[in-house]
Amino acid sequence: MRRRSPGSPGPALLRQELWARRRALARIALWSIVESLPVLLSGLLVSAATDRFLARDVGAGLALLALLLPTAAAGAVATNRLFPWLAALVEPVRDAFLAEVTKGALLAATRSTTRLDTTSVAKLTAQVQTVRNILFGLLRTVRQVLFTFVAALVGLFLLAPVVASATAVLVALAFAVIGLLVPKLAARHRTLLLAQEEVAGRAGVAFEGVRDAVACAAQQRAAAEVERAVDDEATQALALARATTLTRLLVFVGGQLPLLILLVATPWLLRSESLTVGEVVGAATYLLVSLEPALQRIVGVVVSWALDLVVSLRRLGEAFAEPEPAEPDGLPAPDRYDLRVDGLTFTYGAHADPVLDDLSLTIDEGDHLAVVGSSGIGKSTLANLLAGLLVPSRGAIRLGGVDVTRLRESELRRTLSLIPQEAYVFAGTLRENLTYLAPDATERDLVDAVAAVGLGPLLSRLGGLDARVGTGGADLSQGEKQLVALGRVYLSPARVVILDEATANLDPVAEARAEVAFAARPGTLVVIAHRITSARRAERVLLLDGDRVHLGTHDELVRSSNSYAELVGRWDAGGTATASRLPARPG
């Protein structure tokens, strides 16, 4: 992961991305200077032309005014040249923020024990687009306004220093007051943004559970909760509007008051010969045509956009993944691969009933264990605990005698692999997907893995190992995605493999082929079974049955456990005999 500079993550990432594209920024600044030349010369040329007209030199006056045309043309060319550089700056920044938000969402999903809030993720993604739009608007519009403002001030100083000095003082006063108001406005912007997120979250929950709300006649209560969030958002929006209104008064101080002072002082300036009539007209041109409209846009639009940008950046920064620290010291992977579970207890909350309570068992190296039980009994939770994705509430899990929480993360992942039901396929070729965990795999290794897990038909359909698949395997069926995930881990160096319903979307024959292949592979295999045939193929079976567990072979549990016998009976009554076409277990 990229290293970010110190500070709030959102603004820090923006600074980093802008600095990385300083060449584009320099080009934008240079073309902006050219673009502002008509403003810089406007007052000077109008002043000189006015004095020529008063001197009855009409030709010279018209010639001076005609000089505005080539400067305007140069400004138009500069504006046209700016857009490619704006795109070269804005689009990569948008992509960088999307990448960071995505990493943060994925990390939150892997760490969370509850369902991912997709409405919040969607809101954050929308905020990334907001940042992109605001940044483009600032660079396109505000850049032009600011350069116009500076060019007008410079021209005014060249034309009428006394008027420029008074104007600069008033403008500085206006900007100072704006600076004092910005923290308050930023706080109100953030409060409004959070209120908007609350509306999205409450509405999403209400829509998702609408059938349940209707079923228990709670529509009014659910609607009232959403309505309260909407009312709070409206209150925060009104408070922000009131605070923003104060900035409008500053336009008068910095933009209109200097013009008023100039008009009042014009008789004295002319009598004292401090300015000529042309210079008064030129100064008024700068104030009326350039400075006052620019300041109005700065206060009215720029302040709002800039605050939106800062608040959105900080809010997005809260969703970024933390920078990856150097891997902490930990123990290396052991040289044996037995799993020992001692007094394992796990709850999803401080006051929740334990999903697993004081579970102890040993899974010997090379063992083939099937875990069965009713839905929601804790099978997937056990798989996540064995894989080190969840931390036990009490007890310990040891791999080769070493507590998995003390192993180096990188070595734990190389040694132990979990394949969940929700298989993920990377964008790229099938070869790249299969060798992701085994980059040094040979062509012979690939051929063996394809044959072992039954990937041949998929390769034939797509055109071989170098066929490309889309992100998430959009062009693959759920079963084909599972086959790719199985092949990926089959090639890996992992010596403990946990299949958490990783074959749920395969037919019984394909499931049996995959399980037989993994059982014949060196190492330990744990299968979270969704078909009883998986238990028949296993050397041992662990039955989770409420607060009781039963461990033994399939035949032993049929004889000793009524719960297991009933489970087998229900499955056999379903009449699925096709799974028996392959041997019960390797060897």
Side-chain angles (χ1 to χ4, degrees):
M1 183 180 293
R2 70 184 76 206
R3 294 179 64 87
R4 290 193 294 269
S5 55
S8 180
L13 178 60
L14 179 61
R15 289 194 297 271
Q16 175 182 297
E17 293 297 323
L18 292 179
W19 176 250
R21 290 158 185 82
R22 52 192 177 275
R23 180 169 174 264
L25 279 173
R27 291 297 185 95
I28 291 171
L30 288 174
W31 284 117
S32 297
I33 292 173
V34 176
E35 187 185 37
S36 63
L37 283 177
V39 175
L40 176 65
L41 298 176
S42 62
L44 294 171
L45 292 176
V46 167
S47 172
T50 300
D51 285 337
R52 297 280 73 75
F53 287 139
L54 292 175
R56 301 183 184 279
D57 189 354
V58 177
L62 291 175
L64 288 168
L65 292 178
L67 291 176
L68 290 172
L69 294 177
T71 60
V77 171
T79 301
N80 183 62
R81 295 293 182 90
L82 275 166
F83 280 94
W85 292 105
L86 292 175
L89 186 66
V90 171
E91 300 306 325
V93 170
R94 187 270 313 274
D95 294 343
F97 272 87
L98 278 176
E100 290 294 340
V101 169
T102 301
K103 290 175 185 176
L106 289 173
L107 183 61
T110 58
R111 292 177 175 176
S112 175
T113 58
T114 60
R115 185 176 181 181
L116 180 64
D117 184 1
T118 55
T119 60
S120 296
V121 175
K123 189 67 177 178
L124 289 171
T125 305
Q127 288 174 18
V128 171
Q129 190 62 26
T130 298
V131 167
R132 183 260 181 208
N133 293 340
I134 293 174
L135 183 59
F136 183 79
L138 286 171
L139 289 172
R140 180 176 62 85
T141 303
V142 177
R143 167 204 54 78
Q144 184 182 44
V145 170
L146 290 177
F147 273 86
T148 295
F149 192 84
V150 172
L153 273 180
V154 171
L156 189 59
F157 268 106
L158 293 175
L159 180 65
V162 62
V163 177
S165 298
T167 301
V169 170
L170 293 173
V171 168
L173 176 62
F175 278 114
V177 176
I178 291 175
L180 294 176
L181 290 176
V182 163
K184 180 180 179 181
L185 291 172
R188 292 197 178 278
H189 267 263
R190 174 178 168 76
T191 303
L192 176 59
L193 186 62
L194 294 176
Q196 292 171 342
E197 291 181 10
E198 182 69 13
V199 170
R202 287 184 178 272
V205 170
F207 292 148
E208 186 176 291
V210 65
R211 292 180 63 191
D212 191 22
V214 172
C216 61
Q219 307 99 301
Q220 296 301 322
R221 179 171 179 177
E225 291 179 350
V226 176
E227 186 177 358
R228 280 195 295 271
V230 172
D231 289 343
D232 181 58
E233 179 189 357
T235 300
Q236 299 304 330
L238 182 60
L240 176 61
R242 288 171 178 167
T244 305
T245 301
L246 297 176
T247 62
R248 302 291 180 178
L249 298 176
L250 302 177
V251 176
F252 172 77
V253 174
Q256 298 167 356
L257 187 57
L259 179 60
L260 181 61
I261 293 175
L262 174 63
L263 294 177
V264 172
T266 293
W268 176 81
L269 293 172
L270 294 176
R271 283 196 304 271
S272 63
E273 298 184 351
S274 299
L275 295 177
T276 66
V277 173
E279 289 170 338
V280 170
V281 173
T285 299
Y286 281 126
L287 293 174
L288 185 62
V289 177
S290 300
L291 276 175
E292 193 273 339
L295 183 61
Q296 185 166 341
R297 295 188 70 183
I298 289 173
V299 173
V301 178
V302 177
V303 168
S304 177
W305 285 2
L307 287 174
D308 280 340
L309 179 63
V310 170
V311 172
S312 295
L313 288 174
R314 290 178 177 172
R315 181 67 182 121
L316 286 172
E318 295 171 3
F320 288 176
E322 290 296 323
E324 293 175 358
E327 188 172 31
D329 292 337
L331 298 176
D335 55 5
R336 67 178 205 269
Y337 309 110
D338 56 293
L339 280 167
R340 183 177 180 85
V341 179
D342 293 315
L344 180 64
T345 299
F346 183 81
T347 62
Y348 281 100
H351 305 292
D353 292 332
V355 179
L356 298 170
D357 191 9
D358 198 28
L359 172 64
S360 296
L361 76 147
T362 298
I363 306 173
D364 293 328
E365 183 176 339
D367 199 355
H368 178 183
L369 176 72
V371 181
V372 300
S374 60
S375 178
I377 201 67
K379 302 188 297 297
S380 291
T381 299
L382 176 60
N384 289 333
L385 287 163
L386 292 176
L389 298 178
L390 292 177
V391 178
S393 302
R394 291 195 306 274
I397 300 171
R398 295 180 175 84
L399 175 64
V402 181
D403 193 319
V404 295
T405 61
R406 299 182 61 197
L407 288 170
R408 293 174 190 153
E409 178 73 15
S410 58
E411 297 209 23
L412 175 62
R413 296 295 154 231
R414 282 195 297 269
T415 305
L416 188 152
S417 281
L418 168 69
I419 310 179
Q421 180 176 349
E422 306 82 8
Y424 185 79
V425 177
F426 304 102
T429 65
L430 286 173
R431 184 189 303 274
E432 290 168 340
N433 270 279
L434 293 174
T435 59
Y436 180 76
L437 299 175
D440 298 327
T442 65
E443 199 70 21
R444 180 71 256 176
D445 295 332
L446 280 164
V447 170
D448 290 343
V450 167
V453 303
L455 270 167
L458 174 60
L459 264 64
S460 297
R461 181 174 75 81
L462 295 182
L465 287 168
D466 294 316
R468 299 190 66 83
V469 291
T471 302
D475 42 359
L476 304 181
S477 69
Q478 294 299 320
E480 288 171 336
K481 292 179 188 178
Q482 288 189 329
L483 287 174
V484 172
L486 289 165
R488 182 191 302 145
V489 173
Y490 186 90
L491 273 172
S492 77
R495 287 298 172 261
V496 178
V497 175
I498 303 170
L499 307 182
D500 184 7
E501 300 197 12
T503 58
N505 292 299
L506 303 180
D507 62 55
V509 173
E511 176 185 68
R513 180 188 294 110
E515 288 182 9
V516 167
F518 274 94
R521 182 179 177 274
T524 303
L525 176 63
V526 178
V527 179
I528 307 300
H530 69 288
R531 294 185 179 113
I532 207 67
T533 47
S534 295
R536 285 195 172 107
R537 283 187 288 269
E539 295 174 357
R540 293 193 302 158
V541 178
L542 174 67
L543 170 65
L544 300 181
D545 184 20
D547 57 354
R548 296 171 297 170
V549 295
H550 304 273
L551 182 63
T553 66
H554 168 74
D555 293 337
E556 289 171 349
L557 290 184
V558 168
R559 292 191 299 269
S560 63
S561 170
N562 290 333
S563 297
Y564 188 75
E566 290 175 4
L567 188 64
V568 173
R570 288 197 300 271
W571 176 258
D572 287 341
T576 306
T578 55
S580 62
R581 295 176 188 169
L582 291 178
R585 64 173 68 99

